[in-house]
Structures are given as structure tokens and as C-alpha cells.
Amino acid sequence: MYKAIVFAGTTEGYALCEFLAENRVSVYACAATEYGGSLLQENEFLHVSAGRLKTEDMEELFRKENPEIVLDATHPYAAEVTVNIRTACENTQTAYYRVLREAGEHEDRAVYVDSVQAAADYLDQTQGNVLLTTGSKELAGFMKDYQNRLYARVLSLPNVMKACAELGFEGKHLIGMQGPFSRELNAAMLRQYDCRYLVTKDTGKAGGFQDKIDAALECDAVPVIIGRPLKEKGMSVRECKRFLTEH
């Protein structure tokens, strides 16, 4: 039986799993992908499971393991997953806690939009090259005039690169790299491709968000920021560690 189940896949989730295991608390870590799971090292107090779970799968897991708490430390843009975790906890009467990434500091010179579609619509009315840093899952929403203007930066995993190529992103328009990236590297890439716009999600401090914004402003590129899909309440990692210590 595990005392805690942590839905990880983020820097925050990994930190909490390691914190619990270091303090000899048995924890079951859930990562959506094999790659995400590989970033955690199993030990006698930490079990790692990789694979996407449906709500009913989560409910089965909660009933089997009967944890004292479930920590949802999933990505701030994984809105559907958060809804599924919360629903599974409600259906099994399991204690649920949301761990949120701190938002980055925004700038007045940025353009704020509510969705990928809104970002694409905005860019369609502009001129100049665009560095897309929103990930491979969002590329289908940015298919207008990509050959001349858009440069997509995605994870350098074979399946990701293949999916992007199938959408038409390849050659110099497809950049496979693992982040987060420093301000200097972001700035170098903006200059390399002469980008006038940088598209990002508000992934918070741990996601390298502020370094992207600072680099864009340094290079006189306009940050186009896609807002978080859910207005949530929760704990920071520091607050969660304090809570776990007291608990």
C-alpha cells in the first residue's frame, strides 16, 4: 500500500516524489509517458508507473492502493487530466490536493490570448518570423504559412519529430531540443531565425517561461502568451512540502 499517489510529469511532481521517498514515505508516481517516468529513479519507497490513465483506471488504482492523499502535480495546461484526477478522487472519496506551478512575471509589451486558435488568428494578421515554443501537440493549430514564417521548437524524441514532420514541419523549421532553455539560448535562436514573435504558454518559472519572455524583449520580439486553461487554486511546491511534513 502506498501512502501517497503523485501525478507527476513535471518538475514539481518529481520534486515531491523525491521529497516523500527521502522521508521514507511510500509513494506511487504516475507519469503519462515512458520518458517522463524515466526521469525518476525507483527505490524501496518510490514506485514509478508510466502510461496515460482514464478516470476509471485512476479509480481502480485508488481503490487498490487506498492512499492517504493524491497529489495532482500535472502540467498547468493538462486541464483534462486534472479534471479526471479530481473526479476519480471524488468517486473514491480519496483526499485530493492540487500542486500548482508559480506563474511567471508578465510584461506590458506582451500580447495575451486565451487559446492556440486565438494565437494563430493574431499571428495571421502580422508579418515576420515566429518561434513556436508551445510543444508538438499544438502545432496543428499553427499551419498557416509555416514554410515562410514559423519555426517550431519541440522535444527531440523520435515519435515527436515524426508527428511534426507529418504535419509539414521539417528541416530548419523544426528544432528538436530538450528544455528549459536559458535567456541567452532563447535570444540566440530568435536572432538566428530573425523572429519577430515568440509564442509560449504561461508555463511558470519552472518551465523556463521568464527566460523566454526576457529573451523576446531583449530581441525586440513580441511575446504572444497563451493563458492557462483553468483558473485553479492550489499549493506551491514549498507549501506542499510544509503540508506533507505536518501531515
Side-chain angles (χ1 to χ4, degrees):
M1 295 294 212
Y2 295 90
K3 289 189 175 182
I5 292 178
V6 179
F7 285 85
T10 59
T11 304
E12 294 80 9
Y14 301 142
L16 291 174
C17 288
E18 291 169 354
F19 175 78
L20 286 163
E22 287 169 0
N23 285 278
R24 307 176 70 83
V25 176
S26 56
V27 54
Y28 188 109
C30 297
T33 64
E34 291 289 341
Y35 173 74
S38 70
L39 298 179
L40 280 172
Q41 185 66 45
E42 286 193 335
N43 57 50
E44 63 176 311
F45 294 101
L46 173 59
H47 172 74
V48 182
S49 175
R52 301 185 187 280
L53 301 178
K54 298 179 181 179
T55 304
E56 51 268 33
D57 298 324
M58 296 176 187
E59 291 179 12
E60 182 179 348
L61 175 64
F62 298 166
R63 291 191 178 98
K64 177 183 176 182
E65 300 299 343
N66 192 29
E68 291 184 27
I69 57 174
V70 168
L71 299 177
D72 175 7
T74 56
H75 196 279
Y77 282 83
E80 183 178 352
V81 176
T82 285
V83 171
N84 292 344
I85 297 170
R86 188 181 294 120
T87 299
C89 285
E90 290 174 353
N91 291 344
T92 58
Q93 296 183 323
T94 306
Y96 169 90
Y97 296 93
R98 182 66 166 121
V99 181
L100 291 174
R101 176 175 293 177
E102 293 183 58
E105 297 177 9
H106 300 175
E107 294 286 345
D108 293 339
R109 291 160 58 188
V111 171
Y112 302 92
V113 294
D114 292 331
S115 64
V116 168
Q117 184 60 55
D121 291 343
Y122 168 77
L123 292 171
D124 198 37
Q125 307 302 314
T126 66
Q127 294 182 342
N129 292 342
V130 181
L131 179 62
L132 297 175
T133 67
T134 51
S136 60
K137 294 180 181 179
E138 314 294 357
L139 288 189
F142 293 101
M143 291 305 296
K144 298 180 180 179
D145 197 23
Y146 83 92
Q147 289 182 328
N148 296 323
R149 299 185 59 198
L150 307 186
Y151 296 83
R153 189 171 73 192
V154 300
L155 281 174
S156 56
L157 297 175
N159 62 318
V160 171
M161 304 299 282
K162 180 180 177 181
C164 293
E166 290 174 352
L167 286 173
F169 284 87
E170 54 188 358
K172 68 179 182 179
H173 291 272
L174 182 60
I175 307 162
M177 300 177 71
Q178 169 70 54
F181 306 96
S182 67
R183 175 187 59 78
E184 292 81 3
L185 184 51
N186 281 309
M189 297 183 73
L190 287 165
R191 293 190 177 104
Q192 172 70 25
Y193 299 107
D194 191 27
C195 292
R196 299 295 89 204
Y197 298 88
L198 181 147
V199 182
T200 180
K201 297 176 180 178
D202 184 357
T203 52
K205 295 179 181 179
F209 171 81
Q210 195 60 46
D211 285 321
K212 288 191 280 188
I213 299 303
D214 292 344
L217 298 177
E218 175 186 324
C219 297
D220 292 324
V222 177
V224 180
I225 302 172
I226 302 172
R228 299 189 182 190
L230 292 179
K231 304 301 181 183
E232 300 181 275
K233 292 183 179 180
M235 298 180 284
S236 66
V237 171
R238 179 179 298 179
E239 291 169 334
C240 187
K241 287 183 177 180
R242 186 182 305 120
F243 163 77
L244 291 171
T245 301
E246 295 172 352
H247 185 78

